[in-house]
Amino acid sequence: MLTKSSSLMRLVGELKKLPGVGERTALRLAFHLLKSPHNLTALAETLCEVRDRVHPCSICFAITEDDPCAICSGNRDGTTICVVENSQDLMALERSNAWHGVYHVLEGAISPLSGIGPASLRITELLNRVETGGISEVVIATNFTVEGEATALYLTKVLKPLNVRVTRLAHGIPLGSDIEFVDAATVQWALQGRNEL
Amino acid sequence: MLTKSSSLMRLVGELKKLPGVGERTALRLAFHLLKSPHNLTALAETLCEVRDRVHPCSICFAITEDDPCAICSGNRDGTTICVVENSQDLMALERSNAWHGVYHVLEGAISPLSGIGPASLRITELLNRVETGGISEVVIATNFTVEGEATALYLTKVLKPLNVRVTRLAHGIPLGSDIEFVDAATVQWALQGRNEL
């Protein structure tokens, strides 16, 4: 019999800490892993590898295994920096294949309610990079949420005095959208930002 | 930058093998773990513990850390055996607190389409236990699916000649059900198995 103290129940407890995983899902995952010891071992090993090898890049703070990361050390345009909230956002921008500059990961967004102020983010490091010189443009790609917009506003305020061009990702109608179902604020932004054809 | 060969991508690959976890969920889980190194380490450790400690009981084949398991070695009624398909079913029966005998885990059910015949299950071991003597009743608690019913039928056929009482869990209306919405076959079973009040 499996008592609450058994290792399987501890595994269920650990799995339950994952987002979107409850008691039943955790049990299902645990039994699934138990049935395939090969996958279980592989998962345990990759977890340890990730813990030991993955860390933030010392320049841009994107998660990486090398230091500096492949983007910072590669032949990218080092004069333009795209500022993102986290490494997931960086990966989304990389998937678009549309950015050829470097990045700066803030590791969060300003959120006074959660006690996250500018000092908790990698803003000093960003300012240092810009002050060191050679930067022509900073593209702010924080999320279009209250926190992301607040962060963008703050960054604009502190970056402008450094004589650098500060831009923001375009607001507008997403690809494949039916204008009928797009929210009013987005339509308003799209109209204001309309382009000559 | 994270390339496909990095340990994080390998972790995503391993997480994707879990039931109900796709690419996006795996990425979300991986980044969640990366943000809490303590949970990541705990998960890796419990995975290794489960792999090293958990194994089937040599008597009833329920998964256990001790051998024989706590049920087989405890003060349960060893003359009645409840036969289940897997350890999850055993745990469900234990949660009911209604069974005071021991168990026998078949590790599956007869399913000719998946190539699982009686020889793939722990049926020989069950017959050995019954033949050794001292068993008065075998309760068949396989699932009420095509495979479970086929297994129950097969078990009845091989157990009957051993002069042991063979019973099956009752079919009927589940607790809290509205009869209006219960399927016809279940209502039919419930009527046939009606009890005197």
Side-chain angles (χ1 to χ4, degrees):
Chain A
M1 199 183 87
L2 284 156
T3 55
K4 284 289 166 197
S5 66
S6 83
S7 56
L8 196 77
M9 282 304 136
R10 280 202 300 279
L11 176 59
V12 168
E14 288 302 324
L15 289 168
K16 267 167 67 182
K17 291 180 190 165
L18 295 173
V21 177
E23 175 89 30
R24 275 172 169 268
T25 310
L27 254 175
R28 195 159 61 103
L29 295 179
F31 274 104
H32 175 89
L33 286 167
L34 202 62
K35 272 181 205 150
S36 48
H38 177 75
N39 286 352
L40 191 150
T41 307
L43 181 57
E45 280 171 3
T46 47
L47 280 168
C48 292
E49 269 180 35
V50 162
R51 180 194 53 193
D52 299 338
R53 292 195 197 166
V54 178
H55 56 86
C57 167
S58 60
I59 300 175
C60 74
F61 300 97
I63 54 163
T64 176
E65 290 193 20
D66 315 304
D67 199 21
C69 71
I71 293 177
C72 289
S73 60
N75 55 351
R76 305 280 289 240
D77 173 14
T79 63
T80 50
I81 299 181
C82 179
V83 180
V84 291
E85 288 183 21
N86 52 46
S87 293
Q88 288 104 302
D89 295 340
L90 186 157
M91 286 166 82
L93 285 157
E94 280 297 286
R95 277 197 291 276
S96 78
N97 270 325
W99 182 245
H100 308 294
V102 291
Y103 291 92
H104 189 87
V105 178
L106 294 175
E107 295 185 341
I110 293 171
S111 173
L113 285 177
S114 315
I116 303 173
S120 315
L121 307 175
R122 299 291 187 180
I123 292 176
T124 321
E125 289 86 350
L126 173 65
L127 296 179
N128 284 344
R129 283 178 81 178
V130 175
E131 277 165 354
T132 312
I135 308 294
S136 61
E137 181 179 354
V138 175
V139 181
I140 302 178
T142 53
N143 290 325
F144 290 90
T145 56
V146 177
E147 292 82 11
E149 295 282 19
T151 312
L153 212 71
Y154 180 85
L155 285 177
T156 313
K157 207 182 69 185
V158 292
L159 284 167
K160 279 281 185 191
L162 301 177
N163 265 329
V164 67
R165 193 176 162 218
V166 182
T167 55
R168 179 96 170 101
L169 287 192
H171 280 284
I173 317 276
L175 206 72
S177 286
D178 193 329
I179 296 170
E180 179 184 352
F181 303 115
V182 172
D183 65 291
T186 301
V187 173
Q188 194 187 346
W189 277 111
L191 271 172
Q192 282 171 2
R194 65 190 180 277
N195 301 304
E196 199 84 44
L197 291 181
Chain B
M1 199 183 85
L2 283 156
T3 56
K4 286 285 165 194
S5 67
S6 83
S7 57
L8 196 77
M9 282 304 137
R10 279 202 299 280
L11 176 59
V12 169
E14 288 303 324
L15 289 169
K16 267 167 66 182
K17 291 181 190 165
L18 295 173
V21 177
E23 175 90 31
R24 274 172 170 269
T25 310
L27 254 174
R28 194 160 61 104
L29 295 179
F31 274 104
H32 175 88
L33 286 166
L34 203 62
K35 271 180 204 151
S36 49
H38 177 74
N39 286 351
L40 191 151
T41 307
L43 181 57
E45 278 170 4
T46 48
L47 280 168
C48 292
E49 267 179 35
V50 162
R51 181 194 52 192
D52 299 338
R53 292 195 199 168
V54 178
H55 56 87
C57 168
S58 59
I59 299 174
C60 73
F61 300 98
I63 53 164
T64 176
E65 290 193 21
D66 315 303
D67 199 20
C69 71
I71 293 177
C72 287
S73 60
N75 54 351
R76 305 281 288 240
D77 173 13
T79 64
T80 50
I81 300 180
C82 180
V83 180
V84 292
E85 289 184 22
N86 52 46
S87 294
Q88 290 105 302
D89 296 339
L90 185 157
M91 286 164 82
L93 284 158
E94 280 297 288
R95 277 197 293 274
S96 79
N97 271 325
W99 181 245
H100 308 295
V102 290
Y103 290 93
H104 189 87
V105 177
L106 294 175
E107 298 186 340
I110 294 173
S111 173
L113 285 176
S114 315
I116 304 173
S120 315
L121 307 174
R122 299 291 186 181
I123 292 177
T124 320
E125 288 86 349
L126 173 64
L127 297 179
N128 283 344
R129 284 177 79 179
V130 175
E131 277 165 354
T132 311
I135 308 296
S136 61
E137 181 180 354
V138 175
V139 180
I140 303 178
T142 53
N143 291 326
F144 289 91
T145 56
V146 176
E147 292 81 11
E149 294 282 18
T151 312
L153 212 69
Y154 180 85
L155 286 177
T156 313
K157 206 182 69 182
V158 293
L159 284 167
K160 278 282 184 190
L162 301 177
N163 267 327
V164 67
R165 192 175 163 219
V166 182
T167 55
R168 180 93 171 101
L169 288 191
H171 281 283
I173 316 276
L175 206 73
S177 287
D178 195 326
I179 296 170
E180 180 184 351
F181 303 115
V182 172
D183 65 292
T186 302
V187 173
Q188 193 185 347
W189 277 111
L191 271 171
Q192 281 170 3
R194 65 191 182 275
N195 300 305
E196 199 84 43
L197 290 180

